Amino acid sequence: MKIVFLDRLTLASHINLARPSFAHQWQEYPSTTPQQVRERCQDANIIIVNKVQLSRDTLTQLPQLKMIAVAATGTNNVDLAVAEELGIIVSNIRNYAAQSIAEHCLALMFNLRRNVLAYHQAIQQGRWQHAKQFCFFDFPIDNLAKQTLAIIGGGNLGQATAQLASNLGMEVVMAEHKGQTPRPGRVAFEEAVSSADVISIHCPLTPQTKDLFGEPELEMMKETALLINTARGGIVNEQALLQALQNKQIAGAASDVSECEPPTHDSPLMQALSLNNFILTPHVGWASSQNMQVLADQLIDNIEAFVAGKPRHQVFAN
């Protein structure tokens, strides 16, 4: 059994990645381009992949491939329909990052609502040194408690964020899918967007959620509202977000993701870094040491289960 890990750098080096207990040949690469996949995986039975694209053209040229073990929850980099056609099992990682993502979301909310970045930049520019008293009040500071948080995406990650926010004293509402009648316990998408003080996105990137937040949705938001995206780039239209921030159409935003990762130097999100009401982190919301170890352990468990004839955490095409 030959196992090839195509992008080992997507897991931190200090994380212990055990080897499967069955007899196997293991080969790993720090990173892999789509053009290198065929050569590196020609005789592979199992591919481990995080972000490398596995397209129809690539998968049809890998005759020995029986399993794709995705080292993440998202599987939009794999052509699932073709995998099913070819009888290739695709398994992903589940319910591992909730605490890390939720804490990251709250950290971003705190930073924006208390204008931590703006005050930090002001001090770097000499503002405090020239103040006439012990402090200065150039930027508003607000509590998150009693503010309304709208969760977009009510799965494991959204629920964990909602729980932390509720413990903090925020009023949490779960948004219904856009254009659908609200189910019990949910509010209409448009109502959630227009009434929220903070919006936190936790839905997957699909054709239906691509550009879910564009100009119309940003215009719906309160001028005092914050938008937090720790889900996937592409759910928020980056150019529309840049314009909304520049025009102070919304109070602030934070993103842990980009439509292109890593982003180009001239991307809208990189341009937004010059603003003091925007925070960008490099897709690390999931990556606490504790949660990353859970991912690594579950990854090997998925492979062991497949080889034992009991595949788990399978992902299918819609």
Side-chain angles (χ1 to χ4, degrees):
M1 186 73 67
K2 183 173 182 180
I3 303 171
V4 179
F5 195 162
L6 289 174
D7 46 1
R8 177 62 177 84
L9 279 180
T10 58
L11 289 181
S13 59
H14 67 273
I15 298 302
N16 176 35
L17 183 61
R19 297 291 186 265
S21 59
F22 55 85
H24 67 280
Q25 178 186 354
W26 180 281
Q27 191 165 16
E28 63 182 46
Y29 300 92
S31 61
T32 300
T33 66
Q35 294 74 28
Q36 293 173 316
V37 174
R38 181 185 178 189
E39 177 187 354
R40 292 180 172 182
C41 299
Q42 189 60 36
D43 56 350
N45 307 113
I46 298 172
I47 291 176
I48 302 174
V49 62
N50 191 318
K51 294 293 181 287
V52 178
Q53 293 291 322
L54 298 178
S55 65
R56 170 180 287 275
D57 182 60
T58 298
L59 292 176
T60 55
Q61 297 183 68
L62 301 176
Q64 304 303 317
L65 185 60
K66 301 301 179 186
M67 180 196 189
I68 299 169
V70 181
T73 299
T75 56
N76 52 293
N77 58 314
V78 179
D79 192 323
L80 297 175
V82 173
E84 282 190 34
E85 289 175 19
L86 298 174
I88 300 169
I89 299 295
V90 180
S91 294
N92 69 344
I93 308 299
R94 303 185 186 180
N95 303 331
Y96 78 99
Q99 185 67 27
S100 187
I101 289 286
E103 290 190 15
H104 197 76
C105 287
L106 267 292
L108 294 173
M109 293 178 205
F110 274 122
N111 271 277
L112 287 169
R113 200 45 102 201
R114 304 192 70 83
N115 266 305
V116 173
L117 179 62
Y119 277 108
H120 178 76
Q121 292 175 341
I123 292 172
Q124 286 181 314
Q125 295 161 7
R127 176 70 177 87
W128 198 7
Q129 298 89 315
H130 296 96
K132 298 183 185 296
Q133 60 171 359
F134 73 97
C135 65
F136 60 97
F137 307 110
D138 290 11
F139 309 100
I141 297 173
D142 294 309
N143 294 334
L144 286 173
K146 298 187 178 179
Q147 294 203 343
T148 298
L149 170 65
I151 299 288
I152 311 295
N156 180 258
L157 302 180
Q159 293 286 350
T161 303
Q163 184 62 58
L164 270 188
S166 295
N167 293 344
L168 187 66
M170 298 186 78
E171 303 290 335
V172 178
V173 297
M174 289 285 179
E176 185 53 86
H177 295 299
K178 187 176 182 180
Q180 294 189 12
T181 301
R183 290 165 285 176
R186 303 222 176 188
V187 301
F189 177 84
E190 292 78 7
E191 179 184 346
V193 170
S194 61
S195 63
D197 299 299
V198 184
I199 297 171
S200 190
I201 301 173
H202 299 280
C203 59
L205 177 61
T206 67
Q208 291 71 39
T209 62
K210 171 73 172 144
D211 289 334
L212 183 65
F213 280 81
E215 288 185 27
E217 292 74 26
L218 292 165
E219 288 175 358
M220 287 182 203
M221 293 173 60
K222 296 178 179 179
E223 290 185 0
T224 56
L226 305 176
L227 180 64
I228 311 294
N229 183 14
T230 58
R232 283 291 184 270
I235 296 175
V236 177
N237 183 289
E238 295 180 356
Q239 187 61 45
L241 178 62
L242 174 61
Q243 292 174 352
L245 291 169
Q246 290 173 331
N247 298 333
K248 299 196 182 300
Q249 191 175 316
I250 61 175
S255 185
D256 187 47
V257 290
S258 172
E259 186 165 7
C260 175
E261 293 181 348
T264 59
H265 293 293
D266 61 348
S267 76
L269 295 189
M270 294 299 288
Q271 293 178 54
L273 288 177
S274 62
L275 307 173
N276 62 22
N277 61 345
F278 177 69
I279 300 173
L280 181 62
T281 54
H283 206 144
V284 292
W286 61 280
S288 70
S289 295
Q290 297 86 347
N291 287 62
M292 208 183 308
Q293 188 61 60
V294 172
L295 181 155
D297 294 343
Q298 191 179 134
L299 177 67
I300 300 304
D301 287 346
N302 285 349
I303 293 172
E304 294 269 15
F306 166 75
V307 172
K310 300 177 181 179
R312 64 175 205 159
H313 294 178
Q314 285 185 252
V315 184
F316 301 95
N318 293 330

